[in-house]
Amino acid sequence: MTARTIQTVSPADRLLARPLALVAAALVVLEALLALLGATWGPLAWAALILAPGLALLPLLPGPVRESPSAALAAAPALGMAAAGIAVITVSSAGIGLSGVSVRLSVAAVVGAGLALRLPEPRLRFDRAEALASAGGALAIVLGLLIQERVVGDTPVPGNDWAKYVLYADEIVRHGALLIDNPFWMLGVPFREDPGVPALYGAYLFMTGEPAAVLQQGIGLFALAQIAGLYALGRALWGGPAGVVAALLWVALPLGYTLLGWHGLANAGALVLLPLLLAYLAAFATGRIDTPAAVGAGLVMVGLAAAHRLSFGIAALTAGLTVAATLVLARERRALLRPLAVAAGAGLALGAGVIYDLLERNESFGGTQDHTAYLSSKIDLELLVRDLTIPLTAAGVVALVAAPLLVRDRRTLTPVLALLAVVAALAYSWVVELPLHYTRMAYYLPLALIPLIAAAAGSARRPLVGGGLAAALALATAVAAWSQADDVRRFYQFADEASTRGVGSVSAALRPGEVVVTDRCWSFLGTWLLRTRTLPALDPADIQPKAELPFARRAHDVLDGSPRGREIADRLGIRFALVDPTCVDATGEPTESPQVGRPVFVSERLVVLRIGSMR
C-alpha cells in the first residue's frame, strides 16, 4: 500500500486564478461604496454596469475569442451589455421596483455568477503579435472617437430619436419600472421601445442620480463597443491583421455616422452584439463550441431580442442558416446537437424576464401594418454605394470571391456569408410582401462585407501586400467619413440654439396638459423638450405599431388644414404646431408645407405656427 496525497484547489486559489473576474468584483464594490458615501462618478458607474459583468463572464466566450486576450477584452463590453440589460429587465419583469439598490444588486448577482464559474478565463499573455494587434485595435477606437466627436460631440446632439430614449429613461426613474406609459407621446400611450438600451440608460441614472439629459451622447459608447466587437471577431477568427483591418474599416464607414446622426440607438445597441454572435456561430461551424460557450451564445441571443427586434430577427435567420449549413456539411452531426440544446435551454432560462417584457409590449401594438406602408423605404442602390463608398463596395465584391479561396478554414466564413444572404433577401422582401423597413438593411450589410475583406487581408499569402491594400482602403474610406461627419450633423441638427429658443417660447405659453402638433422631424424632440402631450405627423414608414397610425393621421389632418383637421384642433384645443421647414419625408423628398396657422417664430430649423383663434 502506498499513501497518496490528494491535492485540492481551495476557493481562494480558484479566485486568484480569475484576476479579471476579481477586477469586475472590485469595480462593483468600489462603485457601491462611493454611492454609500454620497459620491458618484459617471465613468465608474458605466464600468460597473457594463464592463464588470463582461469581465466576469469571459469564460462564456467562444474558444477562438478566449484564446486571444485582446479579443476577449474587446468582446467584454458586448457581453456585459447583454448580461446587464437582461438582469435589469428580469428584475423589473419580476415586479421588483427599479432603484439604485435593486440595479446594483442585479449587476452584483451577474458578477457573482461569473465569479462562481469554475472555468478558466483568458490568459493575459501578450507576445509581439498580440501586442501589435492590440495597438492597432486601440488606434481604431481612438480614431472612431475622434470622428464621432464631430457628429455627437456637442449638445444638443443631432437627430430626433435621441429624445425618446432620454424621455423613456427619465420616466423609468420616476416610476421604477420598464413597462410604463408615456404620458406625452401621441396623447399618452405605453412605451413601446425595445427594452435593452432603456434598461441600461435607466440603470445608469439610478446609479448616478444625474439628469436624463446627460444620456444624449450615450450612443457614442455603443459606437465604440462596435469597433471593439469587429476587432474581436477578426482577431479571433483570422488573426491580428484581420482584427485591425475590420476595426479600422468599421471606423471609416460613413454609413455608421449616418446612424449616429439620426440617432438609431436600438440599431447601434444590436450592432454591438451581432459581431459577437458571428464569433459564436463560427465556433459552432468549426466544431469548437463547448458547453460554456453555448450558454454564452444563448445569452447573446436574448440580449439581441431585448436590444432590437429587427436585429433579433436577422440574427435568428442568420443562426438558422448557419446551423443548417453546418449540419448538412458535418460528418458527425450528433456532436453538434448538444451545444444547440444547451444554447436553446440557456436562452429560454436566462430570457424568461425578457420574453415576458416583450410579450407585454406587443399587447399594445395593435398589430403591424402591411408591406405597402414601407414601400417608400426601398433600398436605393446608388445611395447605398455612396454611403459605403465605392472603394469599400468594390473591395467587398472582390473579397466575396477571394476570401473563400484564401482563408485556411472556410467554415469560419459560414456565418458571415449567411448574414449576407439574409440581409440581401430581407432588403428585397417587399417582393413577397413582408412588412419591413427595407432601408434599415443597409446598416447590416457592412457587418458582412467588412469581415470578408478582413478575412481576405488577414489570410493573404503576402501579408504585406494584403495589409497595404487594406490600409489604403481604410484611408480612402476614412477620408470620406471625416468629410461626411459635418454634413451628417448639419442635416440632422434640428435642435440648434435658435430652434431651442423657439421651443422655449412655446413651453412658456403652454397650459397644463395642452396638446401640440408636430411634423416628423420635431416629433420626439417636441415631446421631450415641451413635456406636454403631442400629436406627431409621422409617415407610415416611420411607424411600427399599427396602434399609432390613427394618431399620425390626425396630426396630418391638422397640418393640412382640412375640415376634419380643424375639428380635431378645436376638440383637442391645439394652439401650436412645430415644423421644420427643411424636413423631408420617408422617401427623402421635402414635406409639404402646413396649410394651417400663422408663424409666430421662424428659424432655419423651426417654424412655430399659431393655430386657430387667440383663445
Side-chain angles (χ1 to χ4, degrees), residues 300-589:
V300 169
M301 283 298 289
V302 175
L304 278 164
H308 193 220
R309 279 169 254 202
L310 175 60
S311 298
F312 173 72
I314 293 171
L317 291 173
T318 301
L321 192 55
T322 301
V323 168
T326 302
L327 291 177
V328 167
L329 298 175
R331 295 180 179 178
E332 297 183 5
R333 297 184 180 90
R334 290 185 179 181
L336 296 173
L337 298 179
R338 177 179 172 80
L340 285 178
V342 171
L348 290 174
L350 297 172
V354 173
I355 294 170
Y356 171 81
D357 182 286
L358 293 177
L359 290 176
E360 287 293 307
R361 288 174 195 273
N362 286 340
E363 286 293 320
S364 69
F365 264 53
T368 305
Q369 302 179 81
D370 62 38
H371 80 289
T372 58
Y374 303 101
L375 291 178
S376 61
S377 68
K378 289 181 182 179
I379 291 283
D380 183 329
L381 289 178
E382 181 181 351
L383 183 61
L384 175 61
V385 170
R386 192 191 315 162
D387 283 338
L388 290 174
T389 72
I390 293 176
L392 191 141
T393 303
V397 173
V398 172
L400 181 61
V401 177
L405 301 175
L406 296 174
V407 172
R408 293 183 181 87
D409 191 343
R410 297 175 185 173
R411 295 175 298 175
T412 59
L413 298 175
T414 303
V416 178
L417 295 174
L419 175 63
L420 181 60
V422 168
V423 170
L426 291 179
Y428 291 93
S429 59
W430 50 269
V431 175
V432 294
E433 301 186 355
L434 179 68
L436 185 73
H437 199 290
Y438 310 108
T439 305
R440 294 285 178 91
M441 293 304 105
Y443 297 105
Y444 302 95
L445 182 59
L447 195 55
L449 295 181
I450 287 177
L452 285 173
I453 297 170
S459 305
R461 288 169 175 74
R462 294 184 179 181
L464 290 178
V465 175
L469 291 175
L473 174 62
L475 179 61
T477 311
V479 169
W482 184 267
S483 61
Q484 187 167 321
D486 287 337
D487 295 337
V488 166
R489 183 175 179 90
R490 280 193 297 270
F491 184 79
Y492 290 106
Q493 189 68 65
F494 308 120
D496 55 21
E497 183 178 352
S499 62
T500 304
R501 188 169 61 252
V503 173
S505 66
V506 174
S507 179
L510 286 179
R511 300 161 183 162
E514 187 169 354
V515 179
V516 174
V517 69
T518 76
D519 65 1
R520 69 190 296 257
C521 290
W522 275 94
S523 53
F524 299 114
L525 275 172
T527 305
W528 163 247
L529 294 174
L530 293 175
R531 301 298 291 254
T532 194
R533 294 187 299 160
T534 55
L535 201 59
L538 300 180
D539 286 353
D542 301 325
I543 299 172
Q544 185 181 18
K546 195 174 182 179
E548 295 186 356
L549 192 58
F551 295 95
R553 286 173 176 164
R554 291 181 207 172
H556 279 289
D557 287 337
V558 173
L559 293 179
D560 290 343
S562 65
R564 182 172 183 269
R566 289 194 296 271
E567 186 273 328
I568 292 171
D570 288 338
R571 177 162 46 85
L572 295 177
I574 298 174
R575 295 187 300 153
F576 296 102
L578 306 183
V579 297
D580 180 355
T582 67
C583 193
V584 297
D585 61 21
T587 64
E589 296 297 323

Side-chain angles (χ1 to χ4, degrees), residues 276-304:
L276 188 53
L277 177 65
L278 293 178
Y280 279 107
L281 292 175
F284 175 81
T286 56
R288 299 185 61 191
I289 189 165
D290 52 20
T291 298
V295 173
L299 175 73
V300 169
M301 283 298 289
V302 175
L304 278 164

